[in-house]
Amino acid sequence: MSKGIEIVNQALEMLKKGDFETYETLLDDNMHFKMIGQTILSGETNNKKEFLSTVGKLMDYLEAPIQLQVREVIDGGDTVVSIAQGKSISKKGEAYNNEYCHVWKVKNNKIVELTEYLDTEMLAQLLCK
């Protein structure tokens, strides 16, 4: 097992537990984040602060953090892929259950890059309500 998958598994476990403070310690200050698609949240950020701001904007539409159910984690050394389903409830009381593929890059025991693939139509519908 690579150090990369150890860090990603730790990050996923912290997200699963809702331990966002510990999760944030695993992120490099200069991490790069990319969310695919054309939604108002899609695009790229160039540091941890911008990434956390994007997450905060998503949370403005949800009653509670997304609960990830990880189905698979693939060890590629410094590049790790995770496949998960996320569940939450919108502030309007509707289910928000999206599918995710995350590509993580780890260097020096920190997450330096994260790319998120998801059902952007579902996300766009959430953001329009």
Side-chain angles (χ1 to χ4, degrees), residues 82-127:
S82 64
I83 301 168
Q85 182 176 27
K87 293 184 177 187
S88 189
I89 301 290
S90 75
K91 290 206 172 169
K92 299 226 179 212
E94 298 168 339
Y96 178 70
N97 302 330
N98 211 325
E99 297 284 329
Y100 299 94
C101 177
H102 292 108
V103 180
W104 312 75
K105 293 194 185 255
V106 177
K107 193 178 271 188
N108 298 323
N109 298 325
K110 293 281 188 175
I111 297 163
V112 297
E113 191 173 318
L114 174 59
T115 303
E116 181 172 271
Y117 299 89
L118 69 160
D119 180 342
T120 55
E121 179 62 28
M122 183 180 292
L123 177 61
Q125 288 176 13
L126 171 73
L127 299 174

Side-chain angles (χ1 to χ4, degrees), residues 41-57:
L41 294 180
S42 297
E44 299 183 44
T45 66
N46 294 304
N47 59 56
K48 178 166 58 172
K49 184 178 179 182
E50 290 175 358
F51 166 67
L52 295 174
S53 175
T54 299
V55 172
K57 289 174 187 173

Side-chain angles (χ1 to χ4, degrees), residues 5-115:
I5 199 168
E6 289 178 25
I7 298 296
V8 170
N9 279 335
Q10 185 180 0
L12 291 168
E13 188 61 29
M14 294 305 102
L15 289 173
K16 195 171 161 182
K17 290 180 180 178
D19 183 354
F20 303 112
E21 287 182 29
T22 302
Y23 172 74
E24 289 179 27
T25 68
L26 299 173
L27 306 175
D28 188 81
D29 288 340
N30 296 311
M31 77 169 287
H32 181 261
F33 172 71
K34 180 177 181 181
M35 181 188 291
I36 60 125
Q38 302 297 315
T39 73
I40 60 173
L41 294 180
S42 297
E44 299 183 44
T45 66
N46 294 304
N47 59 56
K48 178 166 58 172
K49 184 178 179 182
E50 290 175 358
F51 166 67
L52 295 174
S53 175
T54 299
V55 172
K57 289 174 187 173
L58 174 60
M59 288 307 305
D60 289 343
Y61 293 87
L62 299 173
E63 284 295 327
I66 295 169
Q67 296 296 309
L68 280 182
Q69 297 173 342
V70 179
R71 290 186 289 172
E72 188 171 1
V73 181
I74 303 164
D75 187 351
D78 290 342
T79 301
V80 176
V81 176
S82 64
I83 301 168
Q85 182 176 27
K87 293 184 177 187
S88 189
I89 301 290
S90 75
K91 290 206 172 169
K92 299 226 179 212
E94 298 168 339
Y96 178 70
N97 302 330
N98 211 325
E99 297 284 329
Y100 299 94
C101 177
H102 292 108
V103 180
W104 312 75
K105 293 194 185 255
V106 177
K107 193 178 271 188
N108 298 323
N109 298 325
K110 293 281 188 175
I111 297 163
V112 297
E113 191 173 318
L114 174 59
T115 303

